[in-house]
Amino acid sequence: MNKKLKIFLISLIIIILLSVIIITTLKLLKNNQNNEETSSYSATAVTIMKELNLYDEINNKAYSKTIEVLLENNNLEPQYLDEYYQINYTNITNFSTIINNLLAKNYNSDEINYITKNMIDDINILLSMNYIDILAFKDISNFDINNIDRYLNYQEENKDYDLATVVTYVNIGLDKEGYSEYTEYTEEEAQNDLTILVNKYHKLPDDYEPNDLVALSYNSNYYLRKEAADAFERLTNAGVLEGVIFYPFSPYRSYKTQEVLYNRYVARDGVKAADTYSARPGFSEHQLGLAVDVRSSNLPDNLTPEHYEWMLNNSYKYGFIVRYPKGCQHITQFIEEPWHLRYLGVELATKVHDSGLTYDEYYDLYIKETQD
Ligand SMILES: [Zn+2]
């Protein structure tokens, strides 16, 4: 009895095991024969991949949304098949056309993933151009796609500059002759924004005059805007306490005054030389009422090296920066002017001082509104 039961049970187990093996094998065979039904792709996609004779090749690999969308739009180009698998699908209009266009321009999948994720608003600019090494710009915060041609040209002419420098200098306008192209502020902008950048690429309106000029205590014919005038008093007082005695000698200047001054310099030294040390009318910070030239008590129109050093290290505490420091002529477009101070307010002047940048650079990197 016991032995019979044992044999019966063993036979039963063997039969069950065999059945399982047979069913599984049949199922696998069936799947291999009809794998259309198990494809992860949509019916439309499957139809197209069959037309392209890519059914097996595509289904033997992991599902890709990118591949599916390309197929569904009938945009899949077999020569890019490997790249497609590396490209992340993003839900953007004309996704498949865009990536084909980029691939045709020799962008690789890393670059395409970066572009579709970060630069889709500028895609038409990119598509209108030949291939550029776009990833080289990805960490440059002030990169502006609209200037890309200028960056590439400027880089070609200045191979010793790194790309971040190229971007900033071109944004400032340095790839073009000063005064050749400039933006002109409105009177409102000039009046309301104490941080405004004035240089050979940014002009004030001819008839702009600040509405809050006040006389300096040193000389009742010397004017600055109220806030700058108050700060200047604090600066001079601080100097006195530290034995650094200096006086203003040229504060606010109207457009007309600047015109007379500049023309006099041109008559004396010629345009080219005059442009290195005197701004053309409309392009002077003095017209802002936020700039003042200072001299040491024993000099007619300059600071002693010691006073200049003090100014570099202290003026920011009172809201002023030395606007045209040494070694920056290629950026500021003006020779070193130890005497020329620009008021920015304590907070901004401190940041500019700490950055070690000229105001032209600082403005482009941290203040200028990004273009839409
Ligand atoms: Zn000046």
Side-chain angles (χ1 to χ4, degrees), residues 250 253 284 286 291-293 324 337 339-341:
S250 194
R253 295 200 292 258
S284 171
H286 287 280
V292 54
D293 296 336
Y324 306 113
E337 293 191 8
W339 56 84
H340 181 107
L341 304 179

Side-chain angles (χ1 to χ4, degrees), residues 49-64:
M49 66 176 92
K50 280 181 177 168
E51 281 174 24
L52 295 171
N53 278 330
L54 291 171
Y55 183 85
D56 290 334
E57 190 169 350
I58 291 175
N59 278 286
N60 283 335
K61 289 181 185 151
Y63 170 81
S64 153

Side-chain angles (χ1 to χ4, degrees), residues 17-33:
L17 278 174
L18 276 174
S19 309
V20 169
I21 288 167
I22 288 164
I23 289 168
T24 313
T25 313
L26 282 176
K27 225 177 188 173
L28 277 175
L29 279 174
K30 197 182 173 203
N31 275 356
N32 276 347
Q33 280 161 4

Side-chain angles (χ1 to χ4, degrees), residues 205-235:
D206 290 0
D207 41 11
Y208 172 66
E209 190 184 312
N211 62 14
D212 56 353
L213 292 170
V214 296
L216 299 181
S217 61
Y218 175 79
N219 183 327
S220 60
N221 292 320
Y222 285 179
Y223 296 95
L224 285 178
R225 291 186 68 173
K226 178 84 174 74
E227 190 177 324
D230 291 346
F232 187 71
E233 303 290 338
R234 288 193 286 274
L235 176 71

